[in-house]
Amino acid sequence: MSLSYSHLHPTAWSCGNNNRQSNPHHPLRISVSLSPPPPPSFSYREFLNFALTETERRTLLLPSPLQEKYSSLTAVDGTTDLQMLAFQSPPKIRLLRSLSIQNESMQVLDFAGFAKPEYDVPIFCANFFSTANINIIVLDLNPLHNMSDRKDYKEKYYEKLMDLGLRYAELLPWGGKLTSESLKFFSPIVIWTKFQSVDCMYENLYSAFTEYYKAWLQLIEEAAEETDDALVLSNREAQHRYLTWRAEKDPGHGVLKRLVGEMRAKDVIRNFLFHGIEELGSKGFLDYFPEYRCQDGTVNQNRSMIGKSFESRPWDASGEFIANNTED
């Protein structure tokens, strides 16, 4: 399938600058028709266009084998526009994929980047959900390894990113109560925020997205290939554990289920959004997270509501986890 996308060159914005530059004549183009973006006038496809253009500027970007299988997805309502893109970039990027959803009432972007197991680079994660009234945002470089056990991993990747994270934590404040379960794969620089639909906040979000993504690409560029088989295996299992968790707990499942049905939604989540579950390992969710097992052997879905809640950002300015702002 032939793919192309516009080469936009947006600028960083601040709340005091509403002169946003865009080119309405160059939307993202793939071989399906595009519906116009819903209100508000911004489109998350501008974010995606930036990411693909910036990646192509730095490295070779090739279609993933997933692209042919998941090149189009039709919503049961006949009006919602769903688009899926999947790329790879040998030798370091295993998968760069996106799912974008647009209709008259909402706009969604789920965009992620995964390195190959020979590299322990964090996982780029952007999950954006917007309606005319509310925006729910997660933007992060998810750690591959548990930083409570691996202080060296935190020092390697996050110490130099803390200034970036703190700057955008001011512009995009913490979004309110979040359970400890939700923090399982977040880093100290995570942007978790909710805001009303105002231009200033979209501009801040776009600026954060571009800087976080460029930071991730820089980590990819600088990453050295791991040659120790034991460490490669550790990276592989860590990524497989992450994928297994995300596929089970993905908050977008409900939206996809309404749009494409239960079976298709599960297929997209497991085999596209979190592709690698079958390829990188054989363990199941309860092998990694046995505390979620019910007496009948099924996964306890109610556990998502159990644990301490974090009303404010639970890391200090140096990226150390703090627990004095929690509720049971």
Side-chain angles (χ1 to χ4, degrees):
M1 178 180 178
S2 176
L3 300 173
S4 63
Y5 47 89
S6 62
H7 290 249
L8 302 179
H9 300 279
T11 57
W13 306 312
S14 66
C15 287
N17 176 15
N18 291 321
N19 296 321
R20 183 167 117 184
Q21 295 181 355
S22 63
N23 190 337
H25 302 293
H26 295 281
L28 178 66
R29 296 188 298 274
I30 64 176
S31 57
V32 295
S33 61
L34 298 183
S35 60
S41 59
F42 89 104
S43 172
Y44 283 139
R45 288 174 185 167
E46 294 181 31
F47 293 53
L48 183 57
N49 289 342
F50 168 83
L52 297 180
T53 300
E54 185 68 16
T55 308
E56 188 184 48
R57 189 178 69 82
R58 294 170 180 246
T59 187
L60 179 64
L61 193 61
L62 301 174
S64 163
L66 295 175
Q67 184 61 50
E68 184 174 356
K69 180 179 180 181
Y70 293 98
S71 59
S72 63
L73 194 63
T74 303
V76 295
D77 63 12
T79 61
T80 298
D81 184 26
L82 299 97
Q83 294 182 12
M84 305 164 74
L85 296 174
F87 298 90
Q88 58 187 343
S89 181
K92 295 184 178 182
I93 299 177
R94 180 180 70 84
L95 178 63
L96 192 68
R97 57 77 177 155
S98 71
L99 167 65
S100 61
I101 302 172
Q102 289 190 176
N103 61 26
E104 292 182 354
S105 61
M106 71 175 176
Q107 186 171 186
V108 176
L109 176 65
D110 186 335
F111 178 63
F114 304 91
K116 290 191 174 182
E118 289 78 13
Y119 305 90
D120 65 357
V121 176
I123 297 161
F124 184 84
C125 169
N127 294 125
F128 303 158
F129 174 85
S130 295
T131 67
N133 299 315
I134 190 66
N135 304 269
I136 302 173
I137 303 298
V138 173
L139 176 64
D140 195 19
L141 273 61
N142 294 154
L144 187 64
H145 294 287
N146 188 327
M147 292 188 290
S148 297
D149 303 326
R150 291 278 307 273
K151 297 293 185 182
D152 61 312
Y153 190 80
K154 175 176 174 288
E155 294 171 0
K156 180 178 181 180
Y157 286 116
Y158 293 99
E159 282 193 353
K160 58 187 175 183
L161 296 176
M162 284 308 302
D163 286 345
L164 175 67
L166 291 171
R167 175 153 46 91
Y168 283 105
E170 292 291 326
L171 295 172
L172 297 161
W174 189 255
K177 185 179 291 187
L178 200 64
T179 64
S180 55
E181 179 192 69
S182 300
L183 293 175
K184 191 177 292 288
F185 291 99
F186 286 173
S187 83
I189 66 167
V190 64
I191 300 298
W192 146 245
T193 192
K194 293 187 287 187
F195 57 85
Q196 294 181 337
S197 299
V198 293
D199 286 346
C200 171
M201 297 303 289
Y202 293 128
E203 293 169 358
N204 288 339
L205 179 60
Y206 181 86
S207 181
F209 178 88
T210 59
E211 290 205 53
Y212 272 53
Y213 190 68
K214 287 189 290 186
W216 182 75
L217 287 177
Q218 188 64 33
L219 296 181
I220 289 286
E221 287 183 5
E222 296 172 354
E225 182 177 2
E226 182 56 67
T227 57
D228 185 314
D229 289 344
L231 294 179
V232 173
L233 181 61
S234 176
N235 293 341
R236 181 185 300 271
E237 181 164 294
Q239 190 172 145
H240 186 257
R241 180 175 182 267
Y242 172 93
L243 295 168
T244 302
W245 170 270
R246 291 295 310 275
E248 179 69 31
K249 296 290 185 177
D250 184 62
H253 175 262
V255 172
L256 274 177
K257 180 181 176 180
R258 289 193 299 273
L259 291 174
V260 300
E262 176 69 19
M263 291 185 61
R264 188 61 165 154
K266 286 185 176 180
D267 176 54
V268 169
I269 290 171
R270 185 175 180 88
N271 298 314
F272 180 82
L273 293 180
F274 305 110
H275 179 267
I277 292 176
E278 303 296 337
E279 293 75 15
L280 297 182
S282 59
K283 290 184 179 180
F285 182 85
L286 293 174
D287 296 319
Y288 288 121
F289 310 102
E291 65 272 24
Y292 287 81
R293 185 185 300 275
C294 294
Q295 290 185 351
D296 63 0
T298 61
V299 175
N300 186 346
Q301 301 295 333
N302 292 330
R303 280 296 298 271
S304 63
M305 302 304 295
I306 294 177
K308 291 184 177 294
S309 297
F310 296 83
E311 295 277 6
S312 57
R313 178 170 289 275
W315 294 275
D316 64 18
S318 66
E320 288 298 315
F321 189 81
I322 52 179
N324 60 357
N325 58 351
T326 64
E327 295 180 357
D328 292 329

